[in-house]
Amino acid sequence: MKTITSLHETDFHLKSTFWLSITAGTLVLPFAYYHLAYQDPVIGIGAVITSVSLYMVAWLCYKKIYKTIYTFIWLTPFTTIFVAYLTNKIGISGTYWCYSTVLLYYFMMSERQAWLSNILFILVNLPVVWQLLETTEAIRFTVTFLLVCTYSAIFLHVITRQYSELTHQAITDKLTGLYNRTLLQDSLIYAIRQAKRTKTGFTLIIMDIDHFKKINDELGHDMGDQVLIQLGAFLKSFFRESDKIFRIGGEEFLILTYNTEETDCIKMVEKLRRKIENLPLIPDRKVTVSIGVASQGSAKDWKQWMKACDENLYEAKNGGRNRVVASSVV
């Protein structure tokens, strides 16, 4: 079951990167104007390019299409060379930009990209500093700069790790280890958009354990929990890594399958139903499931798609249970 999110794919990161880019781009503009008008035009042009690049990042964040690789491929090499040129031209004043540039890397990119950008920046700029500055000044700069780099790296690592743990807890059902409802809507919306854009087939499966209340009443809730846990583990082994499996209710599961045609999916779900019926979930007792299936078809939104699949599930239950009912959205 594939991991869905990371720190750098969230609204929080997009918003923070947006405001960071706007602020940095705006603060660089006066510096650009000063050098264009009174000092070195090359530095002024470099500052303008930096500012415009930051505004472009902000625009991509606003449109929610920003990827950290954009910053890594373009801003990392450009700012590394630009700061080296700046330091070479104006001396110790140019080194002040090293600190803000490295911090920018750690806030705007993934952890690995920031590390690589940081290493490149150090390899290019430290030799320039040691060539231009007195030894004592170069030592002071090197120590303070490496401390900023180290603190930034540690901070990003801790934040990334904590965020991953919190995200996992937020999107995971504690009992089964499957996804809960948190990401369901976004996953269905993404599937509909992907299907329209690439003509890829997606199929929705909703499955309900038959007479689960009876299992709880007669055998206890501990046995009911064990059935859910074992069934969840079986679903993980049955479906592919690209498919997403959710527990959306007490005994109700939803599976979003990727790149599947309706005919093939019906055969697969029938196989699933038979396998579950033969699983030794409870000694001397069969556990069966009713399943509704709906291919994406012409669904305009996720609610319509869910409704079609729910209706098929109800039909399977009303038709005697331990059945599969399928249709596409029309």
Side-chain angles (χ1 to χ4, degrees):
M1 198 170 65
K2 196 173 180 181
T3 302
I4 293 180
T5 61
S6 71
L7 174 60
H8 294 88
E9 297 174 347
T10 63
D11 283 341
F12 170 77
H13 180 257
L14 290 175
K15 289 176 182 177
S16 61
T17 302
F18 171 83
W19 287 111
L20 181 65
S21 301
I22 289 290
T23 303
T26 302
L27 291 175
V28 168
L29 281 178
F31 177 79
Y33 172 76
Y34 172 76
H35 276 276
L36 282 172
Y38 305 109
Q39 294 289 328
D40 189 337
V42 176
I43 293 177
I45 292 171
V48 169
I49 293 173
T50 301
S51 184
V52 170
S53 299
L54 289 167
Y55 284 135
M56 283 297 298
V57 169
W59 181 81
L60 291 171
C61 290
Y62 177 75
K63 291 291 184 180
K64 296 189 176 181
I65 55 175
Y66 172 69
K67 302 292 182 184
T68 58
I69 192 67
Y70 302 154
T71 304
F72 180 67
I73 290 175
W74 166 242
L75 272 180
T76 292
F78 178 77
T79 53
T80 298
I81 295 170
F82 177 57
V83 172
Y85 176 81
L86 192 64
T87 303
N88 189 57
K89 293 295 288 185
I90 64 176
I92 193 169
S93 297
T95 63
Y96 301 155
W97 292 96
C98 294
Y99 301 100
S100 58
T101 303
V102 167
L103 287 174
L104 205 67
Y105 293 160
Y106 281 105
F107 279 96
M108 294 180 67
M109 288 186 270
S110 68
E111 186 175 8
R112 179 174 294 182
Q113 291 166 351
W115 263 104
L116 293 173
S117 298
N118 196 0
I119 291 170
L120 175 64
F121 193 90
I122 289 171
L123 291 175
V124 171
N125 282 275
L126 276 189
V128 175
V129 170
W130 277 86
Q131 183 181 359
L132 294 175
L133 303 184
E134 296 290 337
T135 302
T136 53
E137 292 295 332
I139 291 173
R140 289 191 188 101
F141 170 79
T142 301
V143 171
T144 56
F145 181 66
L146 291 179
L147 282 174
V148 169
C149 294
T150 303
Y151 293 157
S152 300
I154 292 172
F155 175 78
L156 181 63
H157 178 73
V158 170
I159 291 298
T160 301
R161 184 172 178 179
Q162 288 183 343
Y163 181 85
S164 298
E165 291 175 358
L166 289 172
T167 299
H168 180 74
Q169 293 174 13
I171 67 175
T172 305
D173 174 61
K174 291 182 180 179
L175 183 65
T176 62
L178 304 175
Y179 292 125
N180 57 29
R181 297 183 71 101
T182 305
L183 293 175
L184 178 58
Q185 180 178 332
D186 287 343
S187 297
L188 295 180
I189 291 172
Y190 173 80
I192 292 173
R193 290 175 180 170
Q194 186 81 349
K196 290 178 180 177
R197 185 168 63 250
T198 64
K199 307 301 180 185
T200 302
F202 286 85
T203 304
L204 196 60
I205 302 164
I206 300 181
M207 183 180 74
D208 191 89
I209 301 174
D210 296 329
H211 305 296
F212 186 72
K213 185 177 183 302
K214 194 173 181 181
I215 294 173
N216 278 332
D217 291 343
E218 294 180 359
L219 302 176
H221 287 279
D222 287 343
M223 178 59 73
D225 287 348
Q226 285 303 310
V227 169
L228 293 172
I229 292 169
Q230 293 178 68
L231 186 55
F234 170 74
L235 292 175
K236 280 196 239 183
S237 66
F238 184 86
F239 288 98
R240 303 165 299 177
E241 188 74 14
S242 58
D243 301 327
K244 291 173 183 159
I245 312 166
F246 301 82
R247 182 186 174 206
I248 59 174
E251 69 272 23
E252 199 169 28
F253 299 85
L254 181 147
I255 303 98
L256 177 62
T257 62
Y258 173 79
N259 197 20
T260 50
E261 297 300 328
E262 184 179 354
T263 304
D264 295 333
C265 192
I266 292 173
K267 293 178 182 178
M268 181 264 291
V269 174
E270 280 288 358
K271 179 182 176 182
L272 171 68
R273 183 193 61 78
R274 291 194 300 269
K275 279 184 170 290
I276 291 174
E277 187 177 10
N278 293 319
L279 283 176
L281 298 175
I282 300 176
D284 303 321
R285 184 168 180 168
K286 284 189 176 182
V287 175
T288 62
V289 294
S290 300
I291 305 175
V293 181
S295 60
Q296 189 265 332
S298 60
K300 294 180 180 179
D301 57 54
W302 68 275
K303 290 181 180 179
Q304 183 185 11
W305 196 8
M306 278 279 291
K307 182 179 178 183
C309 199
D310 269 329
E311 288 174 350
N312 291 337
L313 172 63
Y314 296 146
E315 186 177 337
K317 294 177 78 69
N318 293 333
R321 303 178 190 271
N322 194 22
R323 299 181 59 203
V324 175
V325 175
S327 70
S328 59
V329 180
V330 295

